[in-house]
Amino acid sequence: MEQLRLHVADLSHLLPELSLIATAIILSLLDLIMPEKVSRSIIGWLTLIGIVVSGVFVLLQLNPTEAIQLLNHSYRIDDFSNLLKLFVLTGTGFVVLMSLGFVKKIDIPHIGEYYYFLLPAALGGMIMSSSGDLITLYVGLELLSITSYLLVAMKKNNHQSNEGAFKYLVMGGISSAIILYGMSFLYGMAGSTNLSQIGAALPSLIPSYEALIYVSFFLLLAGFGFKIAAAPFHSWAPDVYQGAPTPIAAFLAVVSKAAGFAILFRVFYALFGFSRFEGSAIQSDVFLAISVMAAIAMVAGNFIALKQTNMKRLLAYSGVANAGYLLVPIGTYFSGTHYSNFSEFIFYLIAYLFMNMGAFAVLMIIEQAEGHTELKGFGGLYYRAPLTAVAMVLIVLSLAGIPVSGGFFGKFYIILGTMQTHQYWLGALMIATSVVSLYYYFGVVRQMFMRSDYEPSEVKVSVPLGITVWLCALIGLALGFVPQVVLKGIESIFSLTKDFLIM
């Protein structure tokens, strides 16, 4: 009886994941038995309800007195994983909401599949957030990746969608193989797949296996760099974003990227952080390499975005640059800020979610009106849909990092972190590349307000898209008015579990 109670208690900790699995199974069966003529929007709404239920279960697990270890320490429930799970679920919820009324059978033949495939994709991201073992981590990674390949290919009759999905599949498979190869070195050296045990074993392997430790790190960094679309491993992003259904492009830009960062934190902090490598050359080299990747991503993303005329491709390169900004708090770890950089990272990640979801929602409104996603489609938007144009201005202010916006304070806190850790070159590069980004972000504003040669077309804003646009715009603005409150709230969540990344 006691053993049974323990099993039930363990299952209760997995309710967020189990609720998604149950919802996906029920909706797949419902899709099979529903008559062909019945609208699949009901499946979309039920998908959204399943996501909300899962989110409620996550909220109930916030602030545990200690980290909960499940499945022989291969699955970890702590505030780090809970915050990332909330992020994944919120992003997925927005994608479902934006899709309601937007996806059409003429473009996506199997709309029911489109909706419930988002659930296993979100589940993969949640598994990645809680993984304490290389095997569990890889299972979550592949669950997210495989469902993402399918979602990108949902526009079966579209040549660009097919090409983007094929490119994503091939390059995603290669990156997964590179990650697995790096993991195999770690397993061979440590004799375990558990992150805690590997982290404890690695310092004792120096100097005998120092070269292999470097090899495993760079293999993992390259593979994870692909997953978060950070330069120089970003070449898939613009073509995949352009070919994918626009809500799925938003999913890749926000949810998939966040899950990739969850892995980065889990793996690199657990293996190379804290006191295990304190003062060693390996620790400084590892986090310096991450800082260099951040710098490359910021420069490449912003400068290539300058010449883009397609809004999806522009947002893809903007995502590359933002991957660089989000890498900065990780790269500055080795200089001594063991915990404060995580709060900065989460704050900017929250701002990133709302400003990107809002931008993609406005793009979907333009796509419905114009039939394409070119930047010129924003021409004269203020005169055709003034409220949507005003909301887009608020979103652009956050994207560009203009004062009194969530995006500004997100970057500001990260820059302050680089100053505190004496990484002045990285902070200066963030400022310089943010200035460069003003040109292409305000190119969107110029199209909306200053173009007189546009061809007017009717702009209809559906209720789900209107809610998404204004919710994202107002939350992004609110983050700029109460940044300290949000930052302190993030820090207070970790007050009881300061060892959120110590395995």
Side-chain angles (χ1 to χ4, degrees):
M1 184 63 71
E2 183 66 26
Q3 194 71 21
L4 179 62
R5 279 198 291 267
L6 287 173
H7 287 316
V8 172
D10 286 349
L11 283 176
S12 69
H13 296 306
L14 295 174
L15 281 174
E17 292 83 354
L18 293 174
S19 61
L20 287 186
I21 294 171
T23 305
I25 293 172
I26 292 169
L27 293 183
S28 63
L29 294 174
L30 181 63
D31 188 34
L32 286 173
I33 62 175
M34 282 176 64
E36 187 71 22
K37 295 180 180 180
V38 176
S39 172
R40 262 48 184 179
S41 292
I42 183 66
I43 293 180
W45 286 109
L46 291 174
T47 301
L48 195 57
I49 291 171
I51 291 169
V52 171
V53 170
S54 179
V56 170
F57 286 135
V58 175
L59 285 172
L60 293 175
Q61 294 180 352
L62 278 177
N63 269 152
T65 54
E66 60 180 0
I68 299 163
Q69 303 281 3
L70 302 174
L71 306 173
N72 195 25
H73 292 250
S74 64
Y75 206 74
R76 182 181 173 94
I77 310 295
D78 54 23
D79 278 335
F80 171 81
S81 63
N82 287 333
L83 271 183
L84 267 296
K85 286 175 186 177
L86 286 175
F87 186 94
V88 167
L89 290 169
T90 302
T92 308
F94 271 121
V95 171
V96 174
L97 182 62
M98 291 191 298
S99 300
L100 292 167
F102 177 82
V103 293
K104 306 294 182 185
K105 194 172 181 63
I106 192 171
D107 297 319
I108 299 176
H110 305 291
I111 295 178
E113 290 181 3
Y114 168 90
Y115 285 119
Y116 60 74
F117 272 5
L118 285 165
L119 295 173
L123 176 63
M126 292 169 70
I127 292 173
M128 290 160 66
S129 302
S130 281
S131 294
D133 189 279
L134 295 179
I135 296 175
T136 314
L137 188 153
Y138 196 75
V139 168
L141 175 67
E142 286 306 288
L143 180 59
L144 173 60
S145 298
I146 292 170
T147 47
S148 295
Y149 305 151
L150 295 171
L151 288 166
V152 171
M154 277 291 172
K155 295 169 71 174
K156 296 185 178 181
N157 300 320
N158 184 284
H159 174 71
Q160 276 191 336
S161 181
N162 294 333
E163 181 182 342
F166 182 74
K167 178 177 285 190
Y168 193 26
L169 172 64
V170 171
M171 297 189 72
I174 293 171
S175 71
S176 294
I178 291 172
I179 291 171
L180 199 58
Y181 194 36
M183 288 178 175
S184 69
F185 281 113
L186 292 175
Y187 173 70
M189 288 184 288
S192 173
T193 57
N194 184 272
L195 288 176
S196 178
Q197 294 176 17
I198 295 172
L202 286 183
S204 64
L205 299 174
I206 301 173
S208 303
Y209 294 96
E210 187 169 353
L212 282 182
I213 293 174
Y214 276 109
V215 170
S216 63
F217 162 72
F218 282 109
L219 286 171
L220 291 174
L221 186 62
F224 296 153
F226 172 90
K227 299 301 180 183
I228 62 173
F233 308 104
H234 67 286
S235 59
W236 62 273
D239 290 339
V240 173
Y241 281 33
Q242 189 173 7
T246 306
I248 302 305
F251 180 87
L252 296 177
V254 177
V255 179
S256 184
K257 193 184 293 288
F261 275 104
I263 290 185
L264 278 169
F265 264 104
R266 279 288 186 204
V267 174
F268 292 146
Y269 273 34
L271 300 187
F272 303 104
F274 305 103
S275 59
R276 289 164 176 165
F277 282 94
E278 197 69 52
S280 70
I282 287 183
Q283 187 181 65
S284 59
D285 290 345
V286 161
F287 292 102
L288 177 60
I290 295 173
S291 295
V292 171
M293 179 184 277
I296 295 171
M298 288 187 286
V299 173
N302 281 305
F303 278 94
I304 299 176
L306 290 173
K307 60 179 182 180
Q308 300 305 313
T309 58
N310 181 279
M311 192 62 182
K312 277 190 180 180
R313 298 181 74 88
L314 188 150
L315 289 172
Y317 284 113
S318 168
V320 173
N322 278 289
Y325 299 141
L326 289 164
L327 280 170
V328 171
I330 307 177
T332 54
Y333 165 82
F334 75 93
S335 296
T337 56
H338 287 222
Y339 293 105
S340 63
N341 56 358
F342 181 73
S343 299
E344 299 159 1
F345 165 80
I346 285 292
F347 184 94
Y348 190 68
L349 197 62
I350 293 170
Y352 177 79
L353 183 155
F354 290 107
M355 61 194 186
N356 271 270
M357 283 297 173
F360 274 103
V362 175
L363 178 59
M364 289 165 65
I365 293 170
I366 298 299
E367 188 177 358
Q368 283 183 321
E370 303 287 343
H372 60 76
T373 58
E374 297 297 314
L375 189 58
K376 63 183 180 182
F378 285 83
L381 183 62
Y382 176 71
Y383 305 100
R384 296 184 286 159
L387 290 177
T388 303
V390 170
M392 187 59 178
V393 169
L394 297 177
I395 292 165
V396 167
L397 292 177
S398 197
L399 282 166
I402 301 299
V404 198
S405 69
F408 168 77
F409 281 103
K411 291 179 182 177
F412 179 70
Y413 289 139
I414 292 175
I415 291 170
L416 284 182
T418 64
M419 299 297 124
Q420 290 171 359
T421 57
H422 309 295
Q423 302 299 301
Y424 302 115
W425 68 277
L426 207 52
L429 193 61
M430 276 194 72
I431 295 171
T433 52
S434 295
V435 171
V436 172
S437 72
L438 295 177
Y439 180 84
Y440 61 82
Y441 284 135
F442 280 93
V444 179
V445 177
R446 182 181 64 83
Q447 291 281 341
M448 293 191 298
F449 288 87
M450 301 180 186
R451 265 194 60 191
S452 57
D453 60 339
Y454 64 90
E455 296 182 7
S457 57
E458 187 178 7
V459 176
K460 292 182 178 180
V461 182
S462 65
V463 173
L465 281 175
I467 291 172
T468 303
V469 168
W470 274 103
L471 198 59
C472 291
L474 293 176
I475 292 176
L477 189 64
L479 286 172
F481 280 101
V482 289
Q484 278 296 321
V485 174
V486 177
L487 199 65
K488 287 179 180 178
I490 295 168
E491 291 171 350
S492 68
I493 288 176
F494 296 104
S495 62
L496 297 177
T497 53
K498 283 294 187 180
D499 63 339
F500 66 96
L501 287 171
I502 299 176
M503 310 303 293

